[in-house]
Amino acid sequence: MLAALGIRQATIVGHSMGGMLAARYALMFPDAVEQLVMVDPLGLEDWRQKGVPYQTIDAAYAAERKTSAASIKAYQLKFYYNGQWKPDYDRWVEMQAGLYAGPGAERVAWNQAQTSDMVFTQPVVHEFDRLRVPTVLMAGTKDRTAPGANRAAPALAETLGRYDRLGPEVAGRIKGARLVMFEGLGHSPQVEAPDRFHEALLRELAAR
């Protein structure tokens, strides 16, 4: 698409799984990336290596078929917003729940199962030292997102998804990376505190 539009280089910004994919894009096509911005990206740790049991795609699909607005909200409440919910967050739950409840529900569940498998088995954490593009890593100190943590032993689960620790660790492995930690925010700082997030994002984009 970028080639068709005649865009030789682009600033790539990705959040959550999008942040992981943005990193992968920058690794594969460094000459096409002017700047990389990862916002609370997945893939900052290798859950399988740490001992989280693998889940087959078929098992993941069966679990995805049970997804509801209530389960989505419960997950986001725990991992995204540190147990603090605001009515403004409801629309994001409704949007996701609508995909699972619509006419393409089976395809959505299957694609999500495949995606979850990719996230679990192909983390980018082992390749960050190969990044050679200007990079900004942004993360909330209260983010505890760790797909698959529900399959881990409780003691292990407590150690996963610690973005307050993972942010500095990963930024230290990326040559020249700039780190922005949002104190008191979770997995979606752009939703929790949009003004604060956008101010930081624009500042970092202009700093290059």
Side-chain angles (χ1 to χ4, degrees), residues 99-131:
L99 294 173
Y100 283 92
E106 292 184 1
R107 179 174 295 179
V108 169
W110 181 249
N111 288 345
Q112 185 59 39
Q114 292 175 306
T115 299
S116 297
D117 188 81
M118 177 272 293
V119 168
F120 188 79
T121 61
Q122 301 176 44
V124 291
V125 64
H126 304 298
E127 301 176 66
F128 281 127
D129 56 355
R130 294 199 300 109
L131 276 173

PDB file of all heavy atoms in Angstrom, residues 99-131:
ATOM      1  N   LEU A  99     -18.068  -7.779  17.068  1.00  0.00           N
ATOM      2  CA  LEU A  99     -17.406  -8.653  16.104  1.00  0.00           C
ATOM      3  C   LEU A  99     -17.689 -10.119  16.407  1.00  0.00           C
ATOM      4  O   LEU A  99     -17.926 -10.924  15.505  1.00  0.00           O
ATOM      5  CB  LEU A  99     -15.903  -8.408  16.118  1.00  0.00           C
ATOM      6  CG  LEU A  99     -15.424  -7.035  15.638  1.00  0.00           C
ATOM      7  CD1 LEU A  99     -13.929  -6.884  15.883  1.00  0.00           C
ATOM      8  CD2 LEU A  99     -15.737  -6.847  14.158  1.00  0.00           C
ATOM      9  N   TYR A 100     -17.664 -10.455  17.685  1.00  0.00           N
ATOM     10  CA  TYR A 100     -17.896 -11.841  18.101  1.00  0.00           C
ATOM     11  C   TYR A 100     -19.369 -12.240  17.995  1.00  0.00           C
ATOM     12  O   TYR A 100     -19.683 -13.432  17.962  1.00  0.00           O
ATOM     13  CB  TYR A 100     -17.427 -12.043  19.541  1.00  0.00           C
ATOM     14  CG  TYR A 100     -15.936 -12.174  19.699  1.00  0.00           C
ATOM     15  CD1 TYR A 100     -15.143 -11.063  19.950  1.00  0.00           C
ATOM     16  CD2 TYR A 100     -15.303 -13.408  19.592  1.00  0.00           C
ATOM     17  CE1 TYR A 100     -13.774 -11.170  20.101  1.00  0.00           C
ATOM     18  CE2 TYR A 100     -13.926 -13.531  19.738  1.00  0.00           C
ATOM     19  CZ  TYR A 100     -13.167 -12.411  19.998  1.00  0.00           C
ATOM     20  OH  TYR A 100     -11.804 -12.529  20.147  1.00  0.00           O
ATOM     21  N   ALA A 101     -20.247 -11.256  17.953  1.00  0.00           N
ATOM     22  CA  ALA A 101     -21.675 -11.561  17.927  1.00  0.00           C
ATOM     23  C   ALA A 101     -22.293 -11.407  16.536  1.00  0.00           C
ATOM     24  O   ALA A 101     -23.454 -11.743  16.321  1.00  0.00           O
ATOM     25  CB  ALA A 101     -22.422 -10.642  18.902  1.00  0.00           C
ATOM     26  N   GLY A 102     -21.512 -10.917  15.585  1.00  0.00           N
ATOM     27  CA  GLY A 102     -22.030 -10.655  14.256  1.00  0.00           C
ATOM     28  C   GLY A 102     -22.079 -11.888  13.376  1.00  0.00           C
ATOM     29  O   GLY A 102     -21.759 -13.008  13.809  1.00  0.00           O
ATOM     30  N   PRO A 103     -22.458 -11.718  12.107  1.00  0.00           N
ATOM     31  CA  PRO A 103     -22.599 -12.850  11.188  1.00  0.00           C
ATOM     32  C   PRO A 103     -21.275 -13.561  10.884  1.00  0.00           C
ATOM     33  O   PRO A 103     -21.264 -14.701  10.443  1.00  0.00           O
ATOM     34  CB  PRO A 103     -23.193 -12.209   9.926  1.00  0.00           C
ATOM     35  CG  PRO A 103     -22.836 -10.755  10.030  1.00  0.00           C
ATOM     36  CD  PRO A 103     -22.860 -10.432  11.478  1.00  0.00           C
ATOM     37  N   GLY A 104     -20.167 -12.867  11.106  1.00  0.00           N
ATOM     38  CA  GLY A 104     -18.869 -13.498  10.863  1.00  0.00           C
ATOM     39  C   GLY A 104     -18.202 -13.959  12.134  1.00  0.00           C
ATOM     40  O   GLY A 104     -16.964 -14.062  12.202  1.00  0.00           O
ATOM     41  N   ALA A 105     -19.005 -14.281  13.155  1.00  0.00           N
ATOM     42  CA  ALA A 105     -18.469 -14.613  14.480  1.00  0.00           C
ATOM     43  C   ALA A 105     -17.477 -15.772  14.451  1.00  0.00           C
ATOM     44  O   ALA A 105     -16.442 -15.728  15.125  1.00  0.00           O
ATOM     45  CB  ALA A 105     -19.620 -14.942  15.428  1.00  0.00           C
ATOM     46  N   GLU A 106     -17.779 -16.810  13.677  1.00  0.00           N
ATOM     47  CA  GLU A 106     -16.881 -17.962  13.635  1.00  0.00           C
ATOM     48  C   GLU A 106     -15.533 -17.592  13.030  1.00  0.00           C
ATOM     49  O   GLU A 106     -14.482 -18.032  13.517  1.00  0.00           O
ATOM     50  CB  GLU A 106     -17.528 -19.102  12.847  1.00  0.00           C
ATOM     51  CG  GLU A 106     -18.742 -19.713  13.543  1.00  0.00           C
ATOM     52  CD  GLU A 106     -19.294 -20.891  12.775  1.00  0.00           C
ATOM     53  OE1 GLU A 106     -18.722 -21.245  11.721  1.00  0.00           O
ATOM     54  OE2 GLU A 106     -20.304 -21.461  13.231  1.00  0.00           O
ATOM     55  N   ARG A 107     -15.569 -16.778  11.988  1.00  0.00           N
ATOM     56  CA  ARG A 107     -14.307 -16.360  11.354  1.00  0.00           C
ATOM     57  C   ARG A 107     -13.511 -15.460  12.303  1.00  0.00           C
ATOM     58  O   ARG A 107     -12.282 -15.577  12.381  1.00  0.00           O
ATOM     59  CB  ARG A 107     -14.596 -15.624  10.051  1.00  0.00           C
ATOM     60  CG  ARG A 107     -13.345 -15.127   9.345  1.00  0.00           C
ATOM     61  CD  ARG A 107     -13.643 -14.540   7.995  1.00  0.00           C
ATOM     62  NE  ARG A 107     -14.159 -15.543   7.076  1.00  0.00           N
ATOM     63  CZ  ARG A 107     -14.520 -15.295   5.819  1.00  0.00           C
ATOM     64  NH1 ARG A 107     -14.419 -14.068   5.349  1.00  0.00           N
ATOM     65  NH2 ARG A 107     -14.967 -16.252   5.043  1.00  0.00           N
ATOM     66  N   VAL A 108     -14.195 -14.578  13.001  1.00  0.00           N
ATOM     67  CA  VAL A 108     -13.521 -13.704  13.964  1.00  0.00           C
ATOM     68  C   VAL A 108     -12.824 -14.544  15.033  1.00  0.00           C
ATOM     69  O   VAL A 108     -11.653 -14.318  15.372  1.00  0.00           O
ATOM     70  CB  VAL A 108     -14.520 -12.734  14.626  1.00  0.00           C
ATOM     71  CG1 VAL A 108     -13.877 -12.019  15.821  1.00  0.00           C
ATOM     72  CG2 VAL A 108     -15.025 -11.713  13.617  1.00  0.00           C
ATOM     73  N   ALA A 109     -13.532 -15.542  15.567  1.00  0.00           N
ATOM     74  CA  ALA A 109     -12.960 -16.393  16.613  1.00  0.00           C
ATOM     75  C   ALA A 109     -11.764 -17.183  16.092  1.00  0.00           C
ATOM     76  O   ALA A 109     -10.749 -17.326  16.785  1.00  0.00           O
ATOM     77  CB  ALA A 109     -14.029 -17.342  17.153  1.00  0.00           C
ATOM     78  N   TRP A 110     -11.883 -17.701  14.878  1.00  0.00           N
ATOM     79  CA  TRP A 110     -10.781 -18.484  14.309  1.00  0.00           C
ATOM     80  C   TRP A 110      -9.565 -17.604  14.044  1.00  0.00           C
ATOM     81  O   TRP A 110      -8.428 -17.978  14.355  1.00  0.00           O
ATOM     82  CB  TRP A 110     -11.226 -19.176  13.028  1.00  0.00           C
ATOM     83  CG  TRP A 110     -10.156 -20.013  12.393  1.00  0.00           C
ATOM     84  CD1 TRP A 110      -9.506 -19.778  11.220  1.00  0.00           C
ATOM     85  CD2 TRP A 110      -9.575 -21.215  12.915  1.00  0.00           C
ATOM     86  NE1 TRP A 110      -8.573 -20.744  10.973  1.00  0.00           N
ATOM     87  CE2 TRP A 110      -8.600 -21.649  12.000  1.00  0.00           C
ATOM     88  CE3 TRP A 110      -9.806 -21.964  14.058  1.00  0.00           C
ATOM     89  CZ2 TRP A 110      -7.834 -22.793  12.195  1.00  0.00           C
ATOM     90  CZ3 TRP A 110      -9.055 -23.117  14.260  1.00  0.00           C
ATOM     91  CH2 TRP A 110      -8.080 -23.518  13.338  1.00  0.00           C
ATOM     92  N   ASN A 111      -9.797 -16.417  13.464  1.00  0.00           N
ATOM     93  CA  ASN A 111      -8.688 -15.507  13.207  1.00  0.00           C
ATOM     94  C   ASN A 111      -8.020 -15.064  14.503  1.00  0.00           C
ATOM     95  O   ASN A 111      -6.791 -14.927  14.570  1.00  0.00           O
ATOM     96  CB  ASN A 111      -9.171 -14.287  12.428  1.00  0.00           C
ATOM     97  CG  ASN A 111      -9.499 -14.609  10.987  1.00  0.00           C
ATOM     98  OD1 ASN A 111      -9.133 -15.652  10.475  1.00  0.00           O
ATOM     99  ND2 ASN A 111     -10.211 -13.725  10.323  1.00  0.00           N
ATOM    100  N   GLN A 112      -8.815 -14.847  15.534  1.00  0.00           N
ATOM    101  CA  GLN A 112      -8.248 -14.452  16.811  1.00  0.00           C
ATOM    102  C   GLN A 112      -7.422 -15.581  17.423  1.00  0.00           C
ATOM    103  O   GLN A 112      -6.378 -15.338  18.032  1.00  0.00           O
ATOM    104  CB  GLN A 112      -9.358 -14.033  17.783  1.00  0.00           C
ATOM    105  CG  GLN A 112      -8.858 -13.496  19.115  1.00  0.00           C
ATOM    106  CD  GLN A 112      -7.962 -12.284  18.967  1.00  0.00           C
ATOM    107  OE1 GLN A 112      -8.206 -11.417  18.129  1.00  0.00           O
ATOM    108  NE2 GLN A 112      -6.894 -12.222  19.750  1.00  0.00           N
ATOM    109  N   ALA A 113      -7.890 -16.799  17.254  1.00  0.00           N
ATOM    110  CA  ALA A 113      -7.133 -17.957  17.749  1.00  0.00           C
ATOM    111  C   ALA A 113      -5.790 -18.061  17.035  1.00  0.00           C
ATOM    112  O   ALA A 113      -4.751 -18.318  17.654  1.00  0.00           O
ATOM    113  CB  ALA A 113      -7.939 -19.235  17.556  1.00  0.00           C
ATOM    114  N   GLN A 114      -5.802 -17.864  15.728  1.00  0.00           N
ATOM    115  CA  GLN A 114      -4.549 -17.892  14.962  1.00  0.00           C
ATOM    116  C   GLN A 114      -3.616 -16.761  15.395  1.00  0.00           C
ATOM    117  O   GLN A 114      -2.405 -16.952  15.532  1.00  0.00           O
ATOM    118  CB  GLN A 114      -4.849 -17.763  13.467  1.00  0.00           C
ATOM    119  CG  GLN A 114      -5.565 -18.959  12.868  1.00  0.00           C
ATOM    120  CD  GLN A 114      -5.929 -18.724  11.418  1.00  0.00           C
ATOM    121  OE1 GLN A 114      -6.572 -17.728  11.080  1.00  0.00           O
ATOM    122  NE2 GLN A 114      -5.503 -19.629  10.542  1.00  0.00           N
ATOM    123  N   THR A 115      -4.201 -15.594  15.592  1.00  0.00           N
ATOM    124  CA  THR A 115      -3.416 -14.442  16.010  1.00  0.00           C
ATOM    125  C   THR A 115      -2.780 -14.673  17.376  1.00  0.00           C
ATOM    126  O   THR A 115      -1.602 -14.362  17.597  1.00  0.00           O
ATOM    127  CB  THR A 115      -4.300 -13.189  16.057  1.00  0.00           C
ATOM    128  OG1 THR A 115      -4.823 -12.934  14.754  1.00  0.00           O
ATOM    129  CG2 THR A 115      -3.513 -11.971  16.519  1.00  0.00           C
ATOM    130  N   SER A 116      -3.555 -15.234  18.291  1.00  0.00           N
ATOM    131  CA  SER A 116      -3.038 -15.518  19.630  1.00  0.00           C
ATOM    132  C   SER A 116      -1.874 -16.496  19.568  1.00  0.00           C
ATOM    133  O   SER A 116      -0.898 -16.368  20.318  1.00  0.00           O
ATOM    134  CB  SER A 116      -4.151 -16.087  20.520  1.00  0.00           C
ATOM    135  OG  SER A 116      -5.196 -15.140  20.689  1.00  0.00           O
ATOM    136  N   ASP A 117      -1.970 -17.467  18.671  1.00  0.00           N
ATOM    137  CA  ASP A 117      -0.889 -18.429  18.505  1.00  0.00           C
ATOM    138  C   ASP A 117       0.371 -17.734  18.006  1.00  0.00           C
ATOM    139  O   ASP A 117       1.486 -18.007  18.481  1.00  0.00           O
ATOM    140  CB  ASP A 117      -1.314 -19.524  17.525  1.00  0.00           C
ATOM    141  CG  ASP A 117      -0.303 -20.654  17.456  1.00  0.00           C
ATOM    142  OD1 ASP A 117      -0.328 -21.521  18.340  1.00  0.00           O
ATOM    143  OD2 ASP A 117       0.519 -20.668  16.511  1.00  0.00           O
ATOM    144  N   MET A 118       0.215 -16.821  17.071  1.00  0.00           N
ATOM    145  CA  MET A 118       1.351 -16.071  16.541  1.00  0.00           C
ATOM    146  C   MET A 118       2.007 -15.229  17.632  1.00  0.00           C
ATOM    147  O   MET A 118       3.231 -15.214  17.776  1.00  0.00           O
ATOM    148  CB  MET A 118       0.895 -15.175  15.388  1.00  0.00           C
ATOM    149  CG  MET A 118       1.979 -14.292  14.791  1.00  0.00           C
ATOM    150  SD  MET A 118       2.166 -12.682  15.633  1.00  0.00           S
ATOM    151  CE  MET A 118       0.615 -11.898  15.223  1.00  0.00           C
ATOM    152  N   VAL A 119       1.181 -14.533  18.414  1.00  0.00           N
ATOM    153  CA  VAL A 119       1.701 -13.691  19.487  1.00  0.00           C
ATOM    154  C   VAL A 119       2.492 -14.519  20.492  1.00  0.00           C
ATOM    155  O   VAL A 119       3.550 -14.110  20.970  1.00  0.00           O
ATOM    156  CB  VAL A 119       0.544 -12.941  20.184  1.00  0.00           C
ATOM    157  CG1 VAL A 119       1.021 -12.298  21.479  1.00  0.00           C
ATOM    158  CG2 VAL A 119      -0.046 -11.888  19.258  1.00  0.00           C
ATOM    159  N   PHE A 120       1.982 -15.711  20.793  1.00  0.00           N
ATOM    160  CA  PHE A 120       2.611 -16.567  21.802  1.00  0.00           C
ATOM    161  C   PHE A 120       3.893 -17.217  21.290  1.00  0.00           C
ATOM    162  O   PHE A 120       4.882 -17.327  22.032  1.00  0.00           O
ATOM    163  CB  PHE A 120       1.622 -17.653  22.240  1.00  0.00           C
ATOM    164  CG  PHE A 120       2.090 -18.481  23.402  1.00  0.00           C
ATOM    165  CD1 PHE A 120       2.002 -18.001  24.709  1.00  0.00           C
ATOM    166  CD2 PHE A 120       2.614 -19.745  23.211  1.00  0.00           C
ATOM    167  CE1 PHE A 120       2.435 -18.762  25.784  1.00  0.00           C
ATOM    168  CE2 PHE A 120       3.046 -20.520  24.276  1.00  0.00           C
ATOM    169  CZ  PHE A 120       2.961 -20.026  25.569  1.00  0.00           C
ATOM    170  N   THR A 121       3.889 -17.657  20.044  1.00  0.00           N
ATOM    171  CA  THR A 121       5.020 -18.444  19.527  1.00  0.00           C
ATOM    172  C   THR A 121       6.056 -17.612  18.785  1.00  0.00           C
ATOM    173  O   THR A 121       7.152 -18.116  18.517  1.00  0.00           O
ATOM    174  CB  THR A 121       4.523 -19.555  18.581  1.00  0.00           C
ATOM    175  OG1 THR A 121       3.837 -18.958  17.464  1.00  0.00           O
ATOM    176  CG2 THR A 121       3.579 -20.505  19.308  1.00  0.00           C
ATOM    177  N   GLN A 122       5.731 -16.346  18.454  1.00  0.00           N
ATOM    178  CA  GLN A 122       6.666 -15.535  17.676  1.00  0.00           C
ATOM    179  C   GLN A 122       6.910 -14.157  18.310  1.00  0.00           C
ATOM    180  O   GLN A 122       6.772 -13.126  17.653  1.00  0.00           O
ATOM    181  CB  GLN A 122       6.144 -15.348  16.251  1.00  0.00           C
ATOM    182  CG  GLN A 122       5.922 -16.644  15.496  1.00  0.00           C
ATOM    183  CD  GLN A 122       5.313 -16.408  14.130  1.00  0.00           C
ATOM    184  OE1 GLN A 122       5.728 -15.515  13.405  1.00  0.00           O
ATOM    185  NE2 GLN A 122       4.322 -17.200  13.771  1.00  0.00           N
ATOM    186  N   PRO A 123       7.267 -14.116  19.583  1.00  0.00           N
ATOM    187  CA  PRO A 123       7.523 -12.817  20.221  1.00  0.00           C
ATOM    188  C   PRO A 123       8.736 -12.146  19.595  1.00  0.00           C
ATOM    189  O   PRO A 123       9.650 -12.824  19.108  1.00  0.00           O
ATOM    190  CB  PRO A 123       7.791 -13.189  21.682  1.00  0.00           C
ATOM    191  CG  PRO A 123       8.345 -14.574  21.613  1.00  0.00           C
ATOM    192  CD  PRO A 123       7.578 -15.241  20.496  1.00  0.00           C
ATOM    193  N   VAL A 124       8.742 -10.821  19.624  1.00  0.00           N
ATOM    194  CA  VAL A 124       9.874 -10.091  19.030  1.00  0.00           C
ATOM    195  C   VAL A 124      10.955  -9.775  20.058  1.00  0.00           C
ATOM    196  O   VAL A 124      11.975  -9.177  19.713  1.00  0.00           O
ATOM    197  CB  VAL A 124       9.391  -8.779  18.367  1.00  0.00           C
ATOM    198  CG1 VAL A 124       8.567  -9.070  17.132  1.00  0.00           C
ATOM    199  CG2 VAL A 124       8.620  -7.925  19.350  1.00  0.00           C
ATOM    200  N   VAL A 125      10.736 -10.168  21.287  1.00  0.00           N
ATOM    201  CA  VAL A 125      11.663  -9.780  22.356  1.00  0.00           C
ATOM    202  C   VAL A 125      13.101 -10.191  22.077  1.00  0.00           C
ATOM    203  O   VAL A 125      14.051  -9.487  22.472  1.00  0.00           O
ATOM    204  CB  VAL A 125      11.189 -10.359  23.713  1.00  0.00           C
ATOM    205  CG1 VAL A 125      11.209 -11.882  23.711  1.00  0.00           C
ATOM    206  CG2 VAL A 125      12.034  -9.815  24.853  1.00  0.00           C
ATOM    207  N   HIS A 126      13.299 -11.301  21.395  1.00  0.00           N
ATOM    208  CA  HIS A 126      14.649 -11.789  21.137  1.00  0.00           C
ATOM    209  C   HIS A 126      15.348 -11.053  19.993  1.00  0.00           C
ATOM    210  O   HIS A 126      16.519 -11.325  19.719  1.00  0.00           O
ATOM    211  CB  HIS A 126      14.605 -13.288  20.825  1.00  0.00           C
ATOM    212  CG  HIS A 126      13.960 -14.105  21.892  1.00  0.00           C
ATOM    213  ND1 HIS A 126      14.466 -14.192  23.171  1.00  0.00           N
ATOM    214  CD2 HIS A 126      12.821 -14.857  21.900  1.00  0.00           C
ATOM    215  CE1 HIS A 126      13.685 -14.969  23.912  1.00  0.00           C
ATOM    216  NE2 HIS A 126      12.673 -15.380  23.165  1.00  0.00           N
ATOM    217  N   GLU A 127      14.626 -10.139  19.343  1.00  0.00           N
ATOM    218  CA  GLU A 127      15.189  -9.481  18.159  1.00  0.00           C
ATOM    219  C   GLU A 127      15.317  -7.969  18.292  1.00  0.00           C
ATOM    220  O   GLU A 127      15.721  -7.295  17.352  1.00  0.00           O
ATOM    221  CB  GLU A 127      14.323  -9.819  16.934  1.00  0.00           C
ATOM    222  CG  GLU A 127      14.222 -11.312  16.651  1.00  0.00           C
ATOM    223  CD  GLU A 127      13.289 -11.614  15.491  1.00  0.00           C
ATOM    224  OE1 GLU A 127      13.629 -11.229  14.356  1.00  0.00           O
ATOM    225  OE2 GLU A 127      12.230 -12.225  15.721  1.00  0.00           O
ATOM    226  N   PHE A 128      14.982  -7.443  19.458  1.00  0.00           N
ATOM    227  CA  PHE A 128      15.021  -5.986  19.604  1.00  0.00           C
ATOM    228  C   PHE A 128      16.415  -5.400  19.412  1.00  0.00           C
ATOM    229  O   PHE A 128      16.556  -4.255  18.987  1.00  0.00           O
ATOM    230  CB  PHE A 128      14.474  -5.580  20.977  1.00  0.00           C
ATOM    231  CG  PHE A 128      12.969  -5.588  21.045  1.00  0.00           C
ATOM    232  CD1 PHE A 128      12.311  -6.293  22.035  1.00  0.00           C
ATOM    233  CD2 PHE A 128      12.218  -4.889  20.122  1.00  0.00           C
ATOM    234  CE1 PHE A 128      10.926  -6.305  22.091  1.00  0.00           C
ATOM    235  CE2 PHE A 128      10.836  -4.885  20.164  1.00  0.00           C
ATOM    236  CZ  PHE A 128      10.181  -5.601  21.158  1.00  0.00           C
ATOM    237  N   ASP A 129      17.440  -6.167  19.720  1.00  0.00           N
ATOM    238  CA  ASP A 129      18.789  -5.635  19.552  1.00  0.00           C
ATOM    239  C   ASP A 129      19.172  -5.493  18.081  1.00  0.00           C
ATOM    240  O   ASP A 129      20.217  -4.913  17.763  1.00  0.00           O
ATOM    241  CB  ASP A 129      19.809  -6.493  20.298  1.00  0.00           C
ATOM    242  CG  ASP A 129      19.770  -7.958  19.894  1.00  0.00           C
ATOM    243  OD1 ASP A 129      18.889  -8.339  19.092  1.00  0.00           O
ATOM    244  OD2 ASP A 129      20.617  -8.724  20.376  1.00  0.00           O
ATOM    245  N   ARG A 130      18.318  -6.000  17.176  1.00  0.00           N
ATOM    246  CA  ARG A 130      18.579  -5.860  15.739  1.00  0.00           C
ATOM    247  C   ARG A 130      17.892  -4.639  15.140  1.00  0.00           C
ATOM    248  O   ARG A 130      18.101  -4.315  13.972  1.00  0.00           O
ATOM    249  CB  ARG A 130      18.109  -7.106  14.980  1.00  0.00           C
ATOM    250  CG  ARG A 130      18.883  -8.365  15.310  1.00  0.00           C
ATOM    251  CD  ARG A 130      18.711  -9.428  14.225  1.00  0.00           C
ATOM    252  NE  ARG A 130      17.332  -9.845  14.031  1.00  0.00           N
ATOM    253  CZ  ARG A 130      16.591  -9.542  12.968  1.00  0.00           C
ATOM    254  NH1 ARG A 130      17.083  -8.797  11.987  1.00  0.00           N
ATOM    255  NH2 ARG A 130      15.345  -9.988  12.865  1.00  0.00           N
ATOM    256  N   LEU A 131      17.072  -3.958  15.918  1.00  0.00           N
ATOM    257  CA  LEU A 131      16.384  -2.775  15.403  1.00  0.00           C
ATOM    258  C   LEU A 131      17.390  -1.680  15.092  1.00  0.00           C
ATOM    259  O   LEU A 131      18.247  -1.357  15.924  1.00  0.00           O
ATOM    260  CB  LEU A 131      15.359  -2.254  16.415  1.00  0.00           C
ATOM    261  CG  LEU A 131      13.986  -2.923  16.414  1.00  0.00           C
ATOM    262  CD1 LEU A 131      13.147  -2.414  17.581  1.00  0.00           C
ATOM    263  CD2 LEU A 131      13.254  -2.661  15.095  1.00  0.00           C
TER     264      LEU A 131
END
